[in-house]
Amino acid sequence: MPSFSYAETPFNSEEQIRLLTLFPATKVSSENENGKTSPLRTSLKPFDWNDKPSYVALSYTWGDATQIENIIVSDRTLDITASLYEALLHMQTDEPLLVWVDAICINQMDNQEKTAQVKRMTEIYKAAASVFAWLGPATDDSDVAMAALVEIGEDAIEAGQLRLSRETMLKLWDPDPEGLLASVRQPFIDLSERIGVNFPQLQIKSLSERSYFTRTWIVQEFSVAINLVIACGKRRLTFPQLSAGFLFLALHRVLTVDRLASITKATDLEASKRLSLFIKNCEGGAPCRLVGSRNRYQKQRPEYHSSMLELLSLVSSYTNATDPRDKVFGLLGVAPDAETLDIKVDYSKKAHEVFEDTARALLKSGFTDVLSWTRSRLKSEINLPTWVPDFSSSLPEPLGSYKCRAPPWKPLFSASGTREVQVSTNDKPGQLTMSGIIVDTIEEVGTPWKVENCQQTATLLDLSLDTLLGEIFGCCQLAQQKSPPISNDPQFWEEALWRIPCADQQWHQYTRRRAKPEAKAGLMEILERNSGELSGYTDEVKKAAWRKYHLAMQCLYDFRPFISNKGYPGMAPEFAAPGDLICVIFGAICPYVLRKVENGFELIGESYVHGIMDGEGMSMGLEETAFCFV
């Protein structure tokens, strides 16, 4: 039988889509095939988009490209991945079924067609009669996990899981002296106690870690679908069951850990092992993130703002794409500001061109967080200018994190005050010119604080932490000896000692907030533990203070202490060096470290500079500078 060819049937990629007719399974004669089913029989035809054909769209992972199966398409043979073959087998019904599936309905070898069809992907999945979300075949006791999720999901729905607003979720376990949240909390507490640890935790964990939940294109396909059917083997879930099930299990994890910890004595090794095992076997977070993306898209309200910047931030750490360009293209269909940004799907462009276009568009729209993501390019295999992040990798969370801008959507810092972004419109490829001011020059740097160096020793909890704090305190001492010092206010220097190590922020529930004076207690507990004092391990108040401060400090991994010529102390990127410039870019949240080079400026990265985080530099009368980043 000859091989299938797209060229045999005329196709207008701007006005048509192809649909695959999936025919019912038929049995081959037992005399020559031992009763096995025949190869999948299908046909592929173009349909005018305006005719609004009824079809089912398939959402799946492509799988291993080397694992190939053969199907029949319009009396021709076509090779597809084993993953797609398995999905189509489970979609077969007793009647012919019209299906849209990207790997077959788009000629993947034609970049012009691919570009035109990918632009329509959101409409394709949104217009489908249903979207068949294929998690994969039944393995690793997935039938048990799916059945448990149906039961847990239905119980969680009854407890009110899907009625919880985002605002209620954020404050659900805050102190509630008046008991206003008691009636909301109790059904979840009761359900959590009833489930306990006697549920198929490992099987659910295995299911949650399937590659389906981490494919970039799935975010769009899963989010825009009107009618979603989640399938694994022969088991099915509705979206409400999946959503309520995984969201409740995330809550159940917190409640159970607190419950087990409260009854576990420090000397009870077996109980401690049970607690550790429960934590180890908890489900992955990717399904909850995917549920969140769908909820934000479906609700489309200001409090569920999902700009392209936020989407890139949210999905970069847990989604994957075979083609690095798809880490951008795969999100355009669900970004409400995609049209304003004017980022185009164009597969004729190389990855570095797509990433540069994306960074430029975001910066012109005022999203200066992009500059804080440029640390991602340091480990990139793609050659990028210093101001362009590698969007195909995990993007680091900025010091003034976009996630911190919960209602009323204000950033933690405002280094540039009220000045708006100024970006040149006539830069050459690879260059970007932004306006700002030079505040000072780095005089001396300390040791980079690396997560891999944070190890417990026999005498100190963390030698690297001891070094970090010692160098920060040393920089503050040197700064006060400058003539004149940048401040004569004793409170300024007293606060510098506890604001700099945590970048002036503290952990609050699911995000970070600007540090308050009580954060100092967290630093004191860290110093106590590092000196060998263990009483804080059993003191609930000290434990809470330590946790909030220590979690906030983690945003400074890969940063190093520094002092500037004028005496500003702070934390700079690990590759900052003496002679680098401390600058404020107009419109930016944090100051940035730049390096003067022959043809412009290299962007080294964001920084925390004590004394200029709230716009103080803008009133110093400093000359405006045009920084041409290369």
Side-chain angles (χ1 to χ4, degrees):
M1 187 178 293
S3 298
F4 176 81
S5 171
Y6 288 96
E8 294 182 4
T9 305
F11 180 66
N12 185 334
S13 60
E14 299 290 341
E15 298 179 4
Q16 293 180 312
I17 62 170
R18 296 189 187 92
L19 291 175
L20 186 75
T21 301
L22 181 61
F23 295 108
T26 57
K27 292 287 185 180
V28 177
S29 170
S30 59
E31 294 179 2
N32 53 29
E33 291 289 345
N34 297 320
K36 293 182 179 179
T37 57
S38 64
L40 280 170
R41 291 188 312 109
T42 69
S43 66
L44 188 65
K45 295 181 181 179
F47 288 78
D48 289 342
W49 179 251
N50 290 335
D51 289 344
K52 299 181 179 179
S54 178
Y55 57 91
V56 175
L58 174 61
S59 175
Y60 72 111
T61 58
W62 282 32
D64 187 346
T66 64
Q67 300 295 314
I68 299 299
E69 295 285 350
N70 185 266
I71 66 170
I72 298 172
V73 180
S74 303
D75 296 323
R76 302 285 190 271
T77 61
L78 177 68
D79 289 341
I80 62 173
T81 63
S83 175
L84 175 53
Y85 187 87
E86 191 79 27
L88 292 175
L89 278 179
H90 282 80
M91 291 183 75
Q92 280 183 315
T93 65
D94 294 334
E95 299 291 335
L97 180 67
L98 272 181
V99 177
W100 189 89
V101 50
D102 55 359
I104 299 176
C105 296
I106 299 175
N107 181 358
Q108 299 293 327
M109 304 306 294
D110 184 336
N111 276 340
Q112 184 176 353
E113 176 186 319
K114 187 177 176 182
T115 296
Q117 292 284 287
V118 166
K119 289 178 181 178
R120 198 185 285 277
M121 289 267 281
T122 304
E123 298 175 77
I124 290 173
Y125 278 92
K126 190 183 292 186
S130 67
V131 171
F132 190 81
W134 174 245
L135 306 186
T139 57
D140 301 321
D141 286 331
S142 59
D143 283 355
V144 174
M146 292 286 283
L149 282 170
V150 170
E151 183 177 348
I152 293 171
E154 290 294 344
D155 288 343
I157 291 171
E158 186 175 344
Q161 182 72 61
L162 301 185
R163 296 193 298 272
L164 290 179
S165 66
R166 184 179 186 274
E167 292 70 29
T168 303
M169 280 287 290
L170 288 174
K171 65 181 182 182
L172 189 58
W173 305 106
D174 280 355
D176 183 34
E178 298 180 9
L180 300 177
L181 295 171
S183 62
V184 180
R185 292 173 174 173
Q186 199 57 49
F188 298 109
I189 295 171
D190 293 343
L191 179 56
S192 178
E193 290 178 347
R194 177 158 60 85
I195 292 174
V197 296
N198 298 315
F199 68 101
Q201 189 183 20
L202 274 175
Q203 291 87 340
I204 292 176
K205 175 183 171 68
S206 178
L207 186 73
S208 72
E209 293 174 345
R210 292 204 174 203
S211 59
Y212 176 87
F213 294 109
T214 57
R215 178 173 171 253
T216 300
W217 278 110
I218 297 298
V219 175
Q220 175 177 272
E221 299 163 7
F222 198 87
S223 296
V224 306
I226 303 301
N227 181 25
L228 192 62
V229 177
I230 298 100
C232 182
K234 295 181 178 180
R235 296 279 183 169
R236 304 291 183 264
L237 277 172
T238 65
F239 174 71
Q241 290 168 340
L242 178 91
S243 173
F246 276 115
L247 290 175
F248 172 75
L249 285 172
L251 179 60
H252 177 60
R253 177 171 66 245
V254 175
L255 293 173
T256 304
V257 168
D258 286 348
R259 193 162 54 244
L260 291 177
S262 67
I263 61 175
T264 300
K265 297 179 180 179
T267 56
D268 189 344
L269 296 180
E270 286 303 316
S272 295
K273 286 181 181 179
R274 286 196 297 271
L275 176 57
S276 298
L277 186 62
F278 175 82
I279 295 172
K280 177 183 176 182
N281 293 339
C282 282
E283 73 287 348
C288 283
R289 297 187 188 103
L290 194 56
V291 166
S293 295
R294 176 176 169 84
N295 287 339
R296 282 189 295 273
Y297 180 84
Q298 294 287 336
K299 292 176 181 178
Q300 289 289 306
R301 300 202 306 265
E303 61 266 36
Y304 284 87
H305 185 55
S306 294
S307 67
M308 185 64 178
L309 182 88
E310 186 179 10
L311 287 167
L312 286 165
S313 174
L314 288 170
V315 308
S316 72
S317 62
Y318 79 93
T319 65
N320 305 301
T322 305
D323 186 332
R325 296 170 294 184
D326 285 340
K327 291 295 288 277
V328 172
F329 294 159
L331 298 176
L332 291 174
V334 288
D337 55 349
E339 187 174 343
T340 302
L341 292 171
D342 198 30
I343 302 170
K344 304 291 187 183
V345 175
D346 186 351
Y347 283 99
S348 69
K349 290 188 173 184
K350 303 294 185 183
H352 73 89
E353 295 175 299
V354 173
F355 292 171
E356 184 177 325
D357 289 347
T358 302
R360 193 184 302 275
L362 288 166
L363 286 166
K364 285 183 176 179
S365 295
F367 293 121
T368 55
D369 288 15
V370 170
L371 299 176
S372 299
W373 286 341
T374 53
R375 280 183 285 153
S376 64
R377 69 177 180 79
L378 298 175
K379 299 178 181 179
S380 175
E381 297 179 358
I382 304 171
N383 187 22
L384 296 166
T386 62
W387 56 275
V388 178
D390 179 0
F391 290 105
S392 67
S393 66
S394 179
L395 300 172
E397 188 173 342
L399 291 182
S401 171
Y402 188 84
K403 298 177 190 176
C404 298
R405 305 185 202 180
W409 304 105
K410 291 183 178 179
L412 288 182
F413 309 112
S414 55
S416 60
T418 58
R419 290 297 298 267
E420 295 184 353
V421 173
Q422 294 180 21
V423 180
S424 174
T425 57
N426 56 357
D427 287 313
K428 297 177 182 178
Q431 297 182 347
L432 181 83
T433 302
M434 301 183 73
S435 298
I437 56 174
I438 300 173
V439 177
D440 204 356
T441 302
I442 292 180
E443 180 180 276
E444 190 175 337
V445 296
T447 307
W449 191 38
K450 308 289 289 183
V451 63
E452 56 265 31
N453 296 334
C454 298
Q455 298 176 355
Q456 187 172 354
T457 68
T459 55
L460 288 172
L461 178 70
D462 186 341
L463 281 172
S464 71
L465 190 57
D466 196 54
T467 300
L468 172 72
L469 295 174
E471 290 182 351
I472 290 174
F473 298 163
C475 285
C476 289
Q477 276 188 322
L478 289 174
Q480 292 178 74
Q481 296 168 9
K482 293 282 185 179
S483 181
I486 59 171
S487 175
N488 290 310
D489 182 0
Q491 184 178 347
F492 176 90
W493 295 109
E494 189 273 331
E495 290 185 356
L497 297 176
W498 58 265
R499 290 193 188 275
I500 294 174
C502 64
D504 198 11
Q505 48 202 280
Q506 63 190 70
W507 194 257
H508 176 78
Q509 295 294 347
Y510 304 102
T511 184
R512 293 184 269 122
R513 293 285 185 266
R514 195 71 179 260
K516 296 180 180 180
E518 59 263 28
K520 181 181 177 181
L523 175 61
M524 299 307 296
E525 178 56 23
I526 285 175
L527 291 171
E528 288 285 324
R529 293 189 182 192
N530 249 34
S531 66
E533 173 57 53
L534 305 180
S535 62
Y537 283 90
T538 56
D539 185 308
E540 291 301 320
V541 175
K542 289 184 176 181
K543 280 170 61 178
W546 175 88
R547 180 178 179 274
K548 281 186 176 182
Y549 197 90
H550 194 264
L551 284 172
M553 287 186 70
Q554 292 173 15
C555 71
L556 290 174
Y557 285 143
D558 299 328
F559 283 75
R560 66 196 315 170
F562 78 89
I563 182 174
S564 71
N565 288 345
K566 295 177 183 176
Y568 287 102
M571 296 292 291
E574 64 173 315
F575 296 109
D580 288 343
L581 304 174
I582 299 170
C583 304
V584 173
I585 309 298
F586 293 158
I589 295 166
C590 294
Y592 285 85
V593 175
L594 308 183
R595 183 171 296 160
K596 187 74 175 72
V597 293
E598 184 178 352
N599 57 339
F601 294 85
E602 290 182 345
L603 179 69
I604 306 302
E606 65 181 339
S607 61
Y608 175 83
V609 185
H610 191 66
I612 62 168
M613 300 303 293
D614 295 304
E616 296 91 339
M618 305 309 297
S619 59
M620 294 179 181
L622 299 173
E623 183 180 353
E624 184 174 320
T625 301
F627 301 108
C628 180
F629 296 137
V630 295

